[in-house]
Amino acid sequence: MHKIVLYPGTFDPITNGHINVIERSAKLFDEVIVSVATNLSKTPLFSAEERVEMIKKDVSHLKNIKVESFGGLLVDFAKKKEACAIVRGLRPISDFEYEFQLATTNMSLCSEMETILLPAVKDNHFISSSMVKEVARLGGDVSDFVSPVVKKILAEKFRTL
Ligand code: COA
């Protein structure tokens, strides 16, 4: 059976933490659809199209990855794509309650929708997209947190804002 999973998020922008989760998921499943959320309570710095393009560039070394944006409920998108599960990364302490809430909400909306939580590797415990944006906005070096492609796009974005 061809096992498809979704890896959903805002990805504003994609960080090395996200890339690590994508690479590990790609080894476990036949197909991973990186699912870029468009209807958010967050106000992203990058448009959905910009986020999709950035992710495509960052995962071009992997064969079984698709990148798509979605609106509406994640479980509806998962059903449409015939995904068997949702993958999320889990950083220590801070993420647990939120991820547990997200997973149980999705399960109550769709009882067979499982969530698989992959622990973040040690180097990425403190990375977040907000932190990356703050450092880049203030002219700091984000090389340890994002790919060279994203670093360049961030620098251009803050130059034109
Ligand atoms: N390593 C390092 N950092 C990580 C990480 C990892 N492995 N995984 C996540 N993060 C960070 C991100 O950088 C991000 O940081 P920020 O908050 O500073 O921006 C944060 O953790 C979480 O971002 P992200 O992984 O992009 O997910 P999200 O919480 O923004 O996404 C959705 C939430 C999109 C999955 C959720 O809102 C959703 O499903 N929406 C659709 C509507 C819906 O179905 N709602 C009902 C379910 S609640």
Side-chain angles (χ1 to χ4, degrees):
M1 202 180 123
H2 187 77
K3 290 228 183 273
I4 303 171
V5 292
L6 299 190
Y7 177 45
T10 310
F11 306 109
D12 186 47
I14 182 166
T15 68
N16 291 344
H18 295 127
I19 293 171
N20 175 263
V21 173
I22 296 169
E23 286 173 341
R24 287 157 66 200
S25 307
K27 286 187 196 153
L28 294 170
F29 301 100
D30 299 308
E31 189 177 322
V32 180
I33 305 177
V34 182
S35 309
V36 179
T38 56
N39 57 341
L40 295 161
S41 42
K42 291 179 178 177
T43 311
L45 173 66
F46 295 100
S47 69
E49 293 73 26
E50 286 174 315
R51 285 177 277 144
V52 166
E53 282 316 305
M54 258 189 277
I55 300 168
K56 280 186 178 166
K57 285 178 185 154
D58 267 7
V59 301
S60 59
H61 60 295
L62 299 166
K63 292 276 170 285
N64 54 338
I65 306 289
K66 282 187 184 155
V67 187
E68 295 184 24
S69 59
F70 76 99
L73 285 175
L74 178 61
V75 288
D76 291 338
F77 187 61
K79 280 187 239 168
K80 189 170 142 203
K81 294 289 162 185
E82 299 182 337
C84 62
I86 292 162
V87 172
R88 295 276 294 169
L90 188 70
R91 289 164 301 173
I93 308 162
S94 58
D95 282 347
F96 182 78
E97 208 170 319
Y98 175 60
E99 291 304 332
F100 200 83
Q101 202 175 20
L102 209 63
T104 48
T105 305
N106 286 329
M107 223 185 322
S108 20
L109 292 169
C110 173
S111 57
E112 65 264 38
M113 193 51 64
E114 294 290 355
T115 298
I116 295 160
L117 298 174
L118 295 182
V121 295
K122 201 157 56 52
D123 288 353
N124 298 332
H125 282 181
F126 58 93
I127 302 182
S128 79
S129 297
S130 306
M131 183 271 291
V132 165
K133 282 181 282 192
E134 176 77 355
V135 173
R137 188 173 63 82
L138 298 172
D141 185 5
V142 291
S143 309
D144 284 348
F145 317 128
V146 296
S147 68
V149 168
V150 173
K151 181 183 168 181
K152 190 160 167 263
I153 294 170
L154 274 165
E156 276 160 18
K157 182 63 114 181
F158 285 116
R159 219 179 1 251
T160 54
L161 277 182

